[in-house]
Amino acid sequence: MIDQVYRKTVLTVAGNKAVERVMRSRGWGLAQRFVAGHQADDIIQAVKELEQDGVGGILDLLGEFVNSPDTANAFAEQILSLVDQAAAAGVRPYITVKLSGIGQGMTVNGEDLGLTNARRILKRAVSHGGFLALDMEDHPRVDATLSQFRTLVGEFGHQNVGTVLQSYLHRTEADLAALADLKPNLRIVKGAYLESPEVAMQDKADIDASYRRLVYANLKAGNYTNVATHDGGIIEDVKLFVLAHGIPREQFEFQLLYGVRRELQKELAAEGYRVHAYIPYGNDWYPYFARRIAERPSNALFVLRGLFGG
């Protein structure tokens, strides 16, 4: 419960416009611990550096909750350009997108614009041997995202597109069961948005237990599973689980955030596990940065020391 109080406090403060103005003007140097840069060249360079240690990169252009079709389409064009630039540089375009950033909820020519643009990005990524993950956002968007995921799996196959399930939502185990027929490629996360007790678990032990159940169930079903956590206890438990159940290493991977537990990423890769780092970049870095601060007090202390020279 203390973790949830801390998260709520940080996200509430971060949402204050005065705080946001200060952070946007003074906080970029600190955000660079978690964000690769502003341009596509920055993230491509970050991926190449990680690859030297056997760690792959998941490319994320930051941006969400756009307010017009023109803006959504412009954002989608930036992602398409990223796909092409990554491929040209010899980097596999493993792309993740927030559908709200490319038009989810806006209808153009009779179809949801988020789906239209996701289809464009997926087609381009697949043409370069890449992959598209549909990121998950706050709970009002879960149904639409899972529905669009189902559509895209039907068109492109589960080997080319995945999505995310959040263990803190009460609904998630039912969502996993409903996706079973797709043999889904899933990234399992705990959840980073501020949600009410009616929607999400508030106790860390409950969230962790749900996380393990989701990972184990997807693995036992034979589906590719992305174990996205920095929790050392969960990582060790997953290692033991796959060993006990004879699950090959080709069926799962560990995913961690850029700038977080870098040595652990290298150690896991050196042990022969598949590892990817989720690497964001772009000008709209503040909401992502705020969620990283809210994850643990040590991140907040890092920011405070940087701002005030402590």
Side-chain angles (χ1 to χ4, degrees), residues 62-229:
L62 293 171
E64 50 195 284
F65 306 122
V66 303
N67 55 16
S68 75
D70 287 344
T71 305
N73 287 331
F75 191 73
E77 288 296 333
Q78 291 184 65
I79 298 173
L80 288 166
S81 177
L82 170 63
V83 171
D84 291 339
Q85 291 179 68
V91 168
R92 183 187 182 222
Y94 185 148
I95 306 293
T96 184
V97 298
K98 286 183 170 58
L99 290 169
S100 68
I102 56 174
Q104 188 182 67
M106 304 176 192
T107 302
V108 176
N109 297 325
E111 183 175 72
D112 185 274
L113 185 58
L115 177 59
T116 300
N117 279 326
R119 185 181 287 116
R120 295 169 61 209
I121 294 165
L122 181 51
K123 183 177 181 180
R124 185 76 59 85
V126 170
S127 74
H128 291 298
F131 183 86
L132 178 66
L134 307 181
D135 212 341
M136 194 59 74
E137 304 177 66
D138 54 351
H139 81 275
R141 292 185 177 270
V142 173
D143 283 329
T145 299
L146 294 182
S147 174
Q148 290 168 5
F149 172 62
R150 178 172 288 279
T151 297
L152 293 170
V153 170
E155 295 175 1
F156 291 89
H158 66 262
Q159 70 275 16
N160 292 313
V161 57
T163 193
V164 178
L165 293 181
Q166 301 170 104
S167 73
Y168 72 164
L169 296 181
H170 296 305
R171 61 175 290 168
T172 300
E173 289 189 62
D175 288 333
L176 177 62
L179 294 171
D181 62 301
L182 300 182
K183 304 297 291 181
N185 180 311
L186 296 175
R187 179 194 304 157
I188 310 299
V189 303
K190 293 184 180 180
Y193 292 88
L194 184 60
E195 303 284 12
S196 71
E198 291 73 28
V199 170
M201 303 170 195
Q202 305 295 305
D203 185 79
K204 182 179 185 299
D206 292 338
I207 296 168
D208 288 354
S210 172
Y211 189 96
R212 288 178 170 87
R213 289 194 298 271
L214 292 166
V215 168
Y216 297 164
N218 206 51
L219 285 169
K220 288 179 71 175
N223 304 331
Y224 197 87
T225 305
N226 304 284
V227 184
T229 183

